[in-house]
Amino acid sequence: MLAAGHMATGAAHQTKFLLEESQLPRRWYNIRADMPTAPQPVLHPGTGQPVGPDDLAPLFPMALIQQEVSEEPEIAIPDEVLGILSLWRPTPLHRARRLEEAVGTRSRIFYKYEGVSPPGSHKPNTAVAQAYYNKQEGRTRLATETGAGQWGSALAFACRLIGLECKVYMVKISYEQKPSRRSMIQAWGAQIVPSPSEDTQSGRAVLAEHPDSPGSLGIAISEAVEDAAGREDTAYSLGSVLNHVLLHQTVIGQEALAQMELAGAFPDVVIGCVGGGSNFAGLAFPFLREKIAGRDIDVLACEPAACPTLTRGVFAYDFGDTSKLTPLVAMHTLGHDFVPAPIHAGGLRYHGVAPLISQLVRDGLVRAEAYLQNDVFASALVFAGSEGILPAPEAAHAIHGALQVARAADDAGEERTILFNLSGHGHFDMSAYDDYLAGKLQDVALDEDEINRALHAIEGLPTPA
Ligand SMILES: Cc1ncc(COP(=O)(O)O)c(C=O)c1O
């Protein structure tokens, strides 16, 4: 094993580190088996007692419920899922040489590029698995929410290939900002409506009170859960937050471990952006396995200052959605009725975060930073101008995080080996770039009063141990 930061000469001039299709990981890595502190139980909102598999059965297939609570360190990936993942996986790992030159850093920067999937992000890694298990257990239709549209297109794609119907509730602000995502979802045969919608009780309730609501992930989740709970043929599918979703994403980090070895390097710092937490977990969990075993790695989660769940939220039991339909989970939260400002990283506008990541932050294994969107877009353009790829605004938070780490190291006269997850491309986010280039992007400084107001929503809920 090479020391951190040491480059093997053979790989010294290489830009991309690629794996053969046969090297696609055959198993998902389950971090629950290695966590120093077990995550808190998920509670039934009516009884306050831990939920059992039967409580979740109306919403999810049993195979996914079992993965949700599994403590096995590894779970085999079904062949049919591997067959579809191999359409684009393994994804490339790049050494960002031109970015390093552009910013003049002494550090080495690597990125794992998930934008090569057909829908353009990491999201199909779990969409395909979820569609597969639902089909296996006889469901014919899935309902889901989508923020930026990446998840909705990933699930529409997966349902199309596996053979399921799909209905997508898309957060209204993104529905308006991203007409092409809408078309992509429809091209894969899914039905799509802006959320809040007239199609559900939850949607109608929000519209009655706030006819101009820009929507939020919390509201859209309520609509999709209500849809699934009301129909036998339909299950609910979530693109982030839950343990099984994070599990499915761990193909990213497992590939990256092998690719860093090809590069003759090992990261000192591993970075991802965090909305619900799935792409971050996908890259970071296999490296955290090494960290928990004693290796020194700084693991950094990057979030927007307009929705600073990990940096300014509280660790508490809260609902995953606005209408309080989901079970209670212990996580960092801003309160379930917090509606984040309509910033352009729509996929990061979520009031909570994955319970597994919250626990890892509490245990000091992961740290978090929050950034303003104008700073994030400035870094996105430095990246696009050197590496060529136009990043999704969500992924640009990880780029910004990597550049901050590199700058701090340069200031301290040190060098680091930095690895970040480029979770998607931004080809459907050009209106965001238009606004940035026209100087029209607002930086939202969330004040303490607004956070305190939103946190009233969780008063009276159970307190985590
Ligand atoms: C490209 C991209 N990156 C990141 C995210 C954030 O989600 P998560 O934190 O689950 O990775 C999204 C969500 O839509 C996304 O589209």
Side-chain angles (χ1 to χ4, degrees):
M1 189 70 72
L2 293 163
H6 183 88
M7 291 292 297
T9 29
H13 301 292
Q14 208 169 317
T15 303
K16 289 194 303 304
F17 298 90
L18 305 173
L19 299 176
E20 298 292 330
E21 210 168 289
S22 60
Q23 291 172 285
L24 215 171
R26 293 293 193 267
R27 311 180 83 74
W28 291 302
Y29 166 57
N30 181 13
I31 199 166
R32 279 178 62 118
D34 293 321
M35 283 169 71
T37 316
Q40 311 268 324
V42 173
L43 303 182
H44 191 288
T47 62
Q49 295 302 308
V51 296
D54 291 347
D55 296 314
L56 298 173
L59 291 182
F60 301 106
M62 208 37 84
L64 293 178
I65 295 172
Q66 278 160 4
Q67 289 178 6
E68 194 62 21
V69 296
S70 171
E71 290 181 6
E72 291 297 313
E74 294 186 344
I75 293 171
I77 308 177
D79 285 345
E80 193 178 335
V81 173
L82 284 172
I84 296 180
L85 294 186
S86 68
L87 290 172
W88 71 95
R89 302 207 73 87
T91 61
L93 181 114
H94 293 243
R95 167 90 186 263
R97 291 181 188 285
R98 299 177 60 93
L99 176 67
E100 290 166 19
E101 268 169 44
V103 298
T105 183
R106 295 164 53 183
S107 290
R108 286 163 297 277
I109 305 179
F110 292 85
Y111 62 94
K112 180 75 167 153
Y113 187 38
E114 289 294 305
V116 296
S117 77
S121 78
H122 64 294
K123 296 281 180 182
N125 295 331
T126 181
V128 172
Q130 292 191 43
Y132 167 81
Y133 289 116
N134 274 291
K135 177 90 186 273
Q136 284 276 306
E137 294 187 29
R139 247 70 170 239
T140 57
R141 180 176 175 273
L142 294 181
T144 197
E145 73 294 328
T146 193
Q150 288 272 20
W151 168 243
S153 24
L155 195 68
F157 156 79
C159 284
R160 180 73 199 198
L161 267 67
I162 297 263
L164 296 174
E165 285 177 56
C166 180
K167 170 136 182 205
V168 179
Y169 295 85
M170 184 168 184
V171 175
K172 195 196 279 166
I173 179 81
S174 303
Y175 187 89
E176 284 160 4
Q177 282 169 348
K178 299 185 183 187
S180 305
R181 274 280 165 208
R182 242 148 69 186
S183 314
M184 194 178 198
I185 288 168
Q186 285 167 325
W188 274 313
Q191 195 197 344
I192 178 164
V193 287
S195 166
S197 78
E198 294 286 352
D199 294 6
T200 65
Q201 191 85 42
S202 314
R204 289 190 292 272
V206 176
L207 286 173
E209 221 179 304
H210 306 286
D212 296 329
S213 167
S216 71
L217 275 173
I219 296 169
I221 292 173
S222 297
E223 293 207 86
V225 167
E226 184 184 325
D227 179 320
R231 289 178 58 153
E232 285 236 326
D233 63 349
T234 302
Y236 170 60
S237 179
L238 185 61
S240 191
V241 179
L242 298 176
N243 302 351
H244 67 265
V245 180
L246 276 51
L247 174 83
H248 299 156
Q249 293 293 352
T250 58
V251 288
I252 302 173
Q254 294 182 67
E255 287 176 8
L257 271 167
Q259 287 163 309
M260 289 302 294
E261 204 166 318
L262 283 182
F266 193 86
D268 305 305
V269 193
V270 173
I271 301 174
C273 68
V274 172
S278 71
N279 87 89
F280 169 81
L283 179 67
F285 282 6
F287 287 92
L288 279 162
R289 183 184 213 172
E290 306 280 320
K291 181 167 178 167
I292 292 165
R295 210 147 181 175
D296 185 17
I297 315 172
D298 177 21
V299 183
L300 172 62
C302 306
E303 61 183 13
C307 190
T309 318
L310 286 170
T311 49
R312 294 176 70 191
V314 295
F315 182 78
Y317 269 108
D318 196 6
F319 294 96
D321 71 321
T322 307
S323 301
K324 306 193 260 188
L325 299 177
T326 68
L328 290 165
V329 293
M331 61 180 175
H332 287 84
T333 179
L334 294 162
H336 53 262
D337 67 4
F338 177 76
V339 177
I343 53 161
H344 271 293
L348 306 186
R349 295 178 66 238
Y350 184 57
H351 68 272
V353 71
L356 290 177
I357 294 174
S358 284
Q359 190 57 53
L360 292 162
V361 168
R362 275 186 107 201
D363 287 345
L365 286 161
V366 171
R367 70 186 176 95
E369 289 184 352
Y371 308 128
L372 293 168
Q373 63 174 347
N374 276 299
D375 296 340
V376 167
F377 273 88
S379 293
L381 286 192
V382 172
F383 185 79
S386 48
E387 295 295 311
I389 299 169
L390 267 165
E394 293 83 4
H397 286 70
I399 296 173
H400 188 66
L403 293 183
Q404 298 281 103
V405 169
R407 194 166 306 134
D410 289 328
D411 289 348
E414 294 168 358
E415 53 185 75
R416 296 264 185 285
T417 299
I418 301 166
L419 169 64
F420 72 88
N421 199 6
L422 190 66
S423 53
H425 66 64
H427 299 176
F428 294 88
D429 302 279
M430 296 319 296
S431 69
Y433 283 94
D434 285 348
D435 285 352
Y436 174 69
L437 292 170
K440 289 200 282 193
L441 274 197
Q442 303 279 329
D443 274 332
V444 182
L446 187 59
D447 67 39
E448 210 58 31
D449 288 350
E450 170 54 12
I451 293 184
N452 291 335
R453 187 212 58 76
L455 286 174
H456 279 312
I458 60 170
E459 274 170 16
L461 295 178
T463 315

